[in-house]
Amino acid sequence: MPQDPMDFEWSYWVEWGRERILWLLAGHLLVSQVSRLLVEKYKPWCLMVYGMAACWLLLGIKGFAVILLHAAVSFAVAQFQLSVLTWLCSLILLSTLRIPTVEETKRKWYDTENEYYLLLFTVSVRCLFCTSFSLEYCWHGPTQKSSHSFPWMLAYVFYYPTFHNGPLMNFDEFSKQMRRQEPFSVKSNLSILIVGIIRIFFWWCLAELMIHLMYIHALYSSALPLESASYWALGGLALAQVLFFYVKYLVLYGVPALLLQMDGLKPPALPCCVSLMHSFTKMWRLVLLLICCFTYRYIYVPMGGSQSSVLGMLFSTALTFAFVSYWHGGQSYLWYWGALNWFGVIVENGIKRILSISLIQDLI
């Protein structure tokens, strides 16, 4: 039975995974385990060199140069130790991905659109990693600057399991865990690998079943079946959509999470099942792992977050969703999407505050 072709993200990453990325991840695993066994002290640099080689192989010398240039510019700007300047630099670098002449130039580097999109997706995610390093650099004192050197930035930016699609670890967590030297056990690592592969294979089979049998995205692409469907049917379609989204990211984030674990790092938690959630805010924190953990640490909390006044919380939340919309491409429908999500979070938090008033609680 033919699959639903309308979910671009799933089809795209499955195709790249089969062609090259899974093989490169297997190579990373081999380099990682050998370096842990023989030269634990030099593991970060072995993995950095491997990540650079994998980047060069997939994206070519020009794609590699673009990512290296982004890292170098971000590191240079971070030397001023001004968070505002770092953010300005990050937004400018991100904006270069949407300049038509630059887009056309990069397209000419590759034979297919898929290769160009791989560069686009990779550079977008690398922008988050460069920003994380630069902000952590700005926030640390002079005595800690030695642990925030340019080689460590490259080890972080070119770490291959998270290279193309995340998920994101902030630099301090990555550096601290990568420096930690733990006893290496081939037997325990092998058992972790086998169990992890079985789980990911199960999730992949489930996602393939859903995309071959349910045709959720094909139904959404045509207005006619949606107009004739009942509200109950529309609700079922919406639930099916978010459940597929959840299963999809169990696979897409499950693979790098397993490799992180094999490298002796603690991976970010995988998404929670949306069927178990009743909170809009919790959904944002636990489902959209790549961008949410970044915006929470580097935008929402520094701008005051829930600890500030009501206006401060509204502003910091608005900035968070504005960045998410811009990072995803900045098209008009993304701004509407961001505004509606911001409104949902604000309404939920507003109701929570009202219900926490003692008079209201007494009435309840």
Side-chain angles (χ1 to χ4, degrees):
M1 184 179 290
Q3 73 173 38
D4 181 351
M6 301 306 294
D7 189 281
F8 170 78
E9 187 178 30
W10 177 256
S11 304
Y12 182 85
W13 289 116
V14 167
E15 183 182 341
W16 267 108
R18 287 171 178 162
E19 286 185 1
R20 294 188 189 179
I21 290 178
L22 280 180
W23 296 104
L24 289 171
L25 289 173
H28 170 94
L29 179 63
L30 180 62
V31 170
S32 167
Q33 299 311 292
V34 170
S35 61
R36 288 190 74 185
L37 189 62
L38 302 177
V39 285
E40 175 78 20
K41 183 178 178 182
Y42 300 103
K43 179 182 72 173
W45 316 121
C46 294
L47 297 182
M48 179 190 75
V49 171
Y50 180 84
M52 287 179 159
C55 172
W56 194 315
L57 179 66
L58 271 187
L59 301 177
I61 187 171
K62 292 178 180 176
F64 171 79
V66 167
I67 294 171
L68 192 61
L69 179 64
H70 275 232
V73 170
S74 297
F75 184 79
V77 172
Q79 304 308 302
F80 293 98
Q81 299 182 39
L82 294 172
S83 297
V84 174
L85 200 58
T86 291
W87 267 116
L88 183 61
C89 171
S90 299
L91 291 173
I92 290 172
L93 290 175
L94 201 56
S95 69
T96 60
L97 302 179
R98 300 175 182 89
I99 299 173
T101 52
V102 175
E103 286 182 329
E104 286 306 311
T105 301
K106 289 177 180 175
R107 274 192 170 90
K108 291 175 184 176
W109 296 348
Y110 302 106
D111 297 327
T112 64
E113 279 288 288
N114 275 1
E115 290 176 293
Y116 164 71
Y117 282 130
L118 185 65
L119 173 67
L120 183 65
F121 297 149
T122 303
V123 174
S124 296
V125 176
R126 291 308 93 199
C127 279
L128 299 182
F129 279 69
C130 290
T131 305
S132 173
F133 175 90
S134 299
L135 289 173
E136 298 289 350
Y137 185 95
C138 292
W139 294 347
H140 285 74
T143 56
Q144 297 169 301
K145 289 292 186 279
S146 59
S147 61
H148 292 68
S149 62
F150 188 60
W152 268 107
M153 183 184 195
L154 294 181
Y156 176 58
V157 169
F158 285 98
Y159 180 67
Y160 195 68
T162 60
F163 189 68
H164 298 293
N165 202 35
L168 186 137
M169 287 179 70
N170 71 63
F171 174 75
D172 274 18
E173 284 296 315
F174 174 84
S175 173
K176 182 173 64 177
Q177 293 179 34
M178 192 63 84
R179 290 170 191 272
R180 187 176 58 213
Q181 297 185 15
E182 295 180 338
F184 178 73
S185 168
V186 175
K187 185 178 178 180
S188 64
N189 259 24
L190 188 60
S191 64
I192 290 169
L193 180 64
I194 292 170
V195 171
I197 289 174
I198 292 170
R199 292 175 69 188
I200 292 166
F201 181 71
F202 171 76
W203 296 331
W204 176 79
C205 289
L206 182 57
E208 284 292 316
L209 275 174
M210 293 176 77
I211 208 164
H212 276 84
L213 300 176
M214 298 179 71
Y215 293 88
I216 313 157
H217 303 88
L219 287 169
Y220 272 115
S221 66
S222 175
L224 188 62
L226 296 179
E227 288 171 354
S228 60
S230 67
Y231 290 127
W232 282 104
L234 290 173
L237 281 172
L239 179 60
Q241 175 97 350
V242 294
L243 286 174
F244 177 76
F245 181 89
Y246 161 66
V247 175
K248 174 171 67 176
Y249 274 91
L250 284 179
V251 178
L252 295 182
Y253 285 166
V255 174
L258 176 60
L259 290 173
L260 281 161
Q261 207 171 353
M262 295 294 293
D263 291 347
L265 309 179
K266 183 181 177 183
L270 291 176
C272 289
C273 181
V274 290
S275 296
L276 302 177
M277 293 184 190
H278 64 275
S279 167
F280 196 71
T281 307
K282 187 179 179 184
M283 184 200 74
W284 256 96
R285 290 179 180 173
L286 299 181
V287 177
L288 301 173
L289 292 176
L290 169 65
I291 194 71
C292 190
C293 65
F294 176 89
T295 54
Y296 183 78
R297 177 170 175 81
Y298 298 116
I299 300 177
Y300 185 72
V301 173
M303 295 306 297
S306 58
Q307 304 303 314
S308 62
S309 64
V310 173
L311 285 176
M313 190 195 73
L314 290 172
F315 180 67
S316 55
T317 310
L319 273 184
T320 298
F321 283 108
F323 179 78
V324 172
S325 301
Y326 184 70
W327 182 79
H328 276 92
Q331 291 87 353
S332 57
Y333 70 89
L334 286 167
W335 292 112
Y336 296 137
W337 171 80
L340 288 170
N341 278 275
W342 172 78
F343 182 72
V345 169
I346 292 304
V347 168
E348 184 175 84
N349 279 282
I351 291 172
K352 280 182 182 177
R353 292 196 178 201
I354 292 169
L355 293 178
S356 66
I357 298 171
S358 57
L359 178 61
I360 302 296
Q361 289 183 345
D362 291 342
L363 287 172
I364 292 173

